[in-house]
């Protein structure tokens, strides 16, 4: 058996997240089902680079799978794309060493959260409509306070099964144009709901409900109740996964 990385993107709107669910459709289930059809209906299991929640999208996602050797990866990619729904697109299939792991070998992850300021009927599933005025500079001051190795318990979903809530954030910033703004954050790892809770808290900074420096006290509290409400799922994208040497 040969290990392969499969590079893909997906629109999360039709799915109840990445991870296979007992009674709800997931991205993982759809991909495994089609891979199985390509291998005489033998069960195929894939391992993703991380979980995304219901309605969250992936601009760049990596999974690994162990398969009999593929003669032509481009042809295999073409066949798989033909079988998958329009909401999932495979961009690359390539062999890797057996010790590379889609989740645990990833060294860096980047998320983006998109907000549109003018009503637009074409993007409500991939961006959050938020027409209120925001103090963009204050939001970026607060975003800078996220950078570093910190405990992000206050910005995490409670009662998760992780061993630690410590994450190392290397970049966090807001960018804008005339009609759209987005938040981009890069870290070694993320907690459940962390980006959506972070964006919601930074939005409250932009609305002048809290001050930028209040973010430090929110993090120190280690209490989800100290932070703001999470923003809706549809604006969130897993944007980029990085691996050393790839």
């Amino acid at each position: 058996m040969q290990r392969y990385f499969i590079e893909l993107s997906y629109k999360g709107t039709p799915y109840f997240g990445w991870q296979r669910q007992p009674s709800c459709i997931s991205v993982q289930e759809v991909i495994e089902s089609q891979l199985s059809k390509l291998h005489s209906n033998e069960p195929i299991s894939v391992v993703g680079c991380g979980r995304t929640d219901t309605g969250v999208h992936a601009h760049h996602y990596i999974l690994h799978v162990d398969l009999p050797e593929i003669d032509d990866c481009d042809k295999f990619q073409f066949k798989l794309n033909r079988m998958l729904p329009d909401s999932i697109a495979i961009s690359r299939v390539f062999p890797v060493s057996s010790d590379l792991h889609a989740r645990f070998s990833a060294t860096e992850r980047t998320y983006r959260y998109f907000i549109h300021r003018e009503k637009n009927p074409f993007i409500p599933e991939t961006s959050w409509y938020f027409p209120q005025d925001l103090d963009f500079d204050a939001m970026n001051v607060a975003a800078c306070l996220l950078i570093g190795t910190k405990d992000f318990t206050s910005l995490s979903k409670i009662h998760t099964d992780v061993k630690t809530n410590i994450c190392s954030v290397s970049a966090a910033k807001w960018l804008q144009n005339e009609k759209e703004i987005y938040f981009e954050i890069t870290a070694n790892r993320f907690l459940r709901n962390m980006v959506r809770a972070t964006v919601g808290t930074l939005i409250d900074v932009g609305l002048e409900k809290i001050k930028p420096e209040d973010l430090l006290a929110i993090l120190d509290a280690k209490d989800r109740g100290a932070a703001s409400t999470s923003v809706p799922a549809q604006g969130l994208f897993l944007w980029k996964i990085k691996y050393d040497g790839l």
Side-chain angles (χ1 to χ4, degrees):
M1 300 289 278
Q2 169 67 53
R3 177 156 296 183
Y4 292 90
F5 267 18
I6 297 181
E7 207 166 8
L8 65 143
S9 56
Y10 57 83
K11 184 178 180 181
T13 308
Y15 305 105
F16 288 81
W18 158 263
Q19 190 169 8
R20 179 181 280 273
Q21 306 287 329
S23 59
C24 301
I25 191 69
S26 69
V27 181
Q28 182 181 14
E29 178 185 348
V30 171
I31 292 173
E32 287 178 342
S33 174
Q34 300 311 312
L35 284 172
S36 177
K37 290 177 182 178
L38 284 172
H39 292 84
S40 304
N41 290 319
E42 290 292 322
I44 301 289
S45 296
V46 306
V47 177
C49 60
R51 300 175 181 176
T52 55
D53 290 334
T54 300
V56 174
H57 319 288
H59 174 263
H60 179 239
Y61 194 94
I62 296 285
L63 65 83
H64 82 245
V65 59
D66 296 328
L67 296 171
E69 188 170 352
I70 299 170
D71 293 332
D72 187 332
C73 285
D74 289 340
K75 187 176 180 180
F76 182 86
Q77 175 191 332
F78 177 79
K79 285 183 178 179
L80 186 55
N81 268 326
R82 287 281 299 268
M83 299 168 70
L84 289 168
D86 291 342
S87 53
I88 303 173
I90 307 300
S91 55
R92 190 181 174 202
V93 178
F94 57 101
V96 296
S97 63
S98 60
D99 60 343
L100 269 180
H101 192 284
R103 179 182 175 191
F104 297 126
S105 298
T107 57
E108 190 176 88
R109 296 163 169 84
T110 297
Y111 280 86
R112 285 185 181 180
Y113 191 90
F114 290 89
I115 296 172
H116 56 289
R117 313 302 306 282
E118 295 183 5
K119 190 174 182 181
N120 185 331
F122 302 109
I123 59 172
E125 293 180 338
T126 56
S127 180
W128 182 37
Y129 176 46
F130 192 87
Q132 293 173 254
D133 291 333
L134 295 167
D135 186 335
F136 197 73
D137 292 335
M139 290 160 65
N140 261 327
V141 170
C144 287
L145 300 177
L146 296 165
I147 296 173
T149 300
K150 304 175 188 289
D151 189 316
F152 285 91
T153 299
S154 294
L155 297 171
S156 170
K157 187 174 182 177
I158 61 174
H159 306 310
T160 60
D161 57 358
V162 297
K163 295 180 179 178
T164 177
N165 288 336
I166 303 294
C167 304
S168 296
V169 174
S170 56
K173 58 185 176 181
W174 287 89
L175 298 101
Q176 67 176 333
N177 55 38
E178 290 183 1
K179 297 182 180 180
E180 179 186 71
I181 65 175
Y182 67 88
F183 176 64
E184 182 175 280
I185 184 168
T186 300
N188 66 326
R189 63 191 291 266
F190 286 89
L191 308 174
R192 290 286 304 276
N193 201 50
M194 177 174 159
V195 181
R196 290 166 60 193
T198 298
V199 173
T201 304
L202 295 178
I203 289 289
D204 276 354
V205 172
L207 293 171
E208 299 181 350
K209 292 182 178 181
I210 58 176
K211 297 178 181 178
E213 57 269 26
D214 290 340
L215 190 64
L216 295 175
I218 289 170
L219 292 175
D220 286 342
K222 298 180 178 63
D223 177 8
R224 179 65 186 90
S228 303
T229 303
S230 297
V231 292
Q234 71 264 24
L236 183 58
F237 284 74
L238 175 56
W239 197 254
K240 181 69 177 177
I241 304 291
K242 185 177 179 180
Y243 299 84
D244 286 341
L246 290 181

